[in-house]
Amino acid sequence: MKGRASKTGYSRDLFGQAWFDADRNGCDTRNDILRRDLAARDMKNSCKVLAGTLNPDPYTGRDIRFEYGGASEVDIDHVVAISDAWQKGAGKWAAGKRLAFANDPLNLLAVEASANRSKGDGDTATWLPSNKSFRCTYVARQVAVKSKYKVWVTAAERDAMIRVLSNCSDTANPVPGPAPTEAALPKSAKKTSTPGSKPPDAPTSVYYENCTALRAAGADPIRAGQPGYTRELDRDGDGVACE
């Protein structure tokens, strides 16, 4: 057990391409989780989710409607936040382990966007979902993720976990799942980004005024480093624009 390490050098980019197809099923991780967690889905094809409903959203207990291209009401949350993991061991991991962690379905949930953003990089000691009936499952999931990836906990976090889980006799322990803790890096990844770096804007030879123009060109979603990507199109800053 240790305290939080420094956040110095942290960058989301150090955990690899956002929503990388780590399981090689031909679908990006974001759509994998939307298909898993949303009910009454409308699909564009076997991968891409156009609409669906969180029934209910685990963090608030309310039904939340997701519509592709509409209001940003559904996020994919890392149950153990990426920045939290960085400060508790991940800063020393190999690139393949960080990529696996960021895309492991065990660590991902489709949730109401504002609840996710209020969480930030909080751990059990600093943030719990307002939906009290989900807290046992949430904390048990955090324990499972941290155990699988050997992410340490602080003393305050341990005490908060014990406090919540002491009232959870009916909650089953989540299984780690088949996702490995080391993902194969994409062949194009020739070198690891330096600490503190940000996803680069793409070459300016391709330009989209807004997401409507990008979708009309059939180029959505577009990722950091691809022609036409700009941070102005990436509303949630996750490296994927117009998703």
Side-chain angles (χ1 to χ4, degrees):
M1 193 181 320
K2 306 176 185 179
R4 279 181 181 263
S6 171
K7 197 173 178 179
T8 301
Y10 167 72
S11 167
R12 171 63 180 82
D13 196 38
L14 293 172
F15 286 76
Q17 175 185 311
W19 310 131
F20 178 66
D21 182 13
D23 60 5
R24 305 296 179 90
N25 69 348
C27 305
D28 65 82
T29 302
R30 176 180 171 80
N31 276 294
D32 283 343
I33 302 305
L34 290 173
R35 289 197 314 278
R36 185 194 68 184
D37 292 354
L38 295 180
R41 297 182 303 276
D42 293 330
M43 304 292 297
K44 178 177 181 178
N45 50 42
S46 60
C47 283
K48 188 167 185 176
V49 181
L50 295 179
T53 302
L54 281 173
N55 184 26
D57 161 47
Y59 286 178
T60 65
R62 297 185 290 110
D63 287 359
I64 305 294
R65 183 68 177 167
F66 165 80
E67 292 186 5
Y68 177 78
S72 182
E73 295 185 358
V74 173
D75 282 353
I76 307 300
D77 180 41
H78 289 88
V79 177
V80 174
I82 289 179
S83 173
D84 181 58
W86 175 267
Q87 296 171 78
K88 297 172 183 175
K92 296 182 179 180
W93 292 353
K97 184 173 181 179
R98 288 198 289 262
L99 183 63
F101 174 86
N103 291 278
D104 192 333
L106 177 67
N107 193 32
L108 297 170
L109 283 175
V111 300
E112 196 267 343
S114 62
N116 175 48
R117 295 167 196 180
S118 73
K119 170 186 170 180
D121 64 358
D123 59 25
T124 303
T126 59
W127 189 90
L128 288 169
S130 61
N131 180 15
K132 293 182 178 180
S133 66
F134 188 70
R135 288 181 178 179
C136 288
T137 300
Y138 175 75
V139 175
R141 189 94 165 242
Q142 283 202 334
V143 170
V145 172
K146 292 204 166 191
S147 176
K148 179 174 180 177
Y149 286 89
K150 311 303 180 189
V151 179
W152 74 64
V153 299
T154 64
E157 185 181 6
R158 174 205 60 194
D159 292 347
M161 286 174 164
I162 292 172
R163 186 164 55 250
V164 171
L165 294 176
S166 64
N167 298 310
C168 302
S169 58
D170 296 332
T171 302
N173 293 324
V175 296
T181 57
E182 194 83 16
L185 295 173
K187 293 180 180 180
S188 60
K190 295 181 179 179
K191 59 183 179 180
T192 304
S193 301
T194 56
S197 64
K198 295 181 179 179
D201 284 347
T204 56
S205 57
V206 177
Y207 173 73
Y208 299 106
E209 182 178 0
N210 50 41
C211 286
T212 299
L214 187 145
R215 292 184 184 111
D220 60 308
I222 191 169
R223 294 175 170 77
Q226 293 181 326
Y229 172 91
T230 62
R231 295 188 182 95
E232 288 74 18
L233 298 176
D234 187 359
R235 291 181 300 182
D236 55 6
D238 65 354
V240 185
C242 303
E243 54 199 306

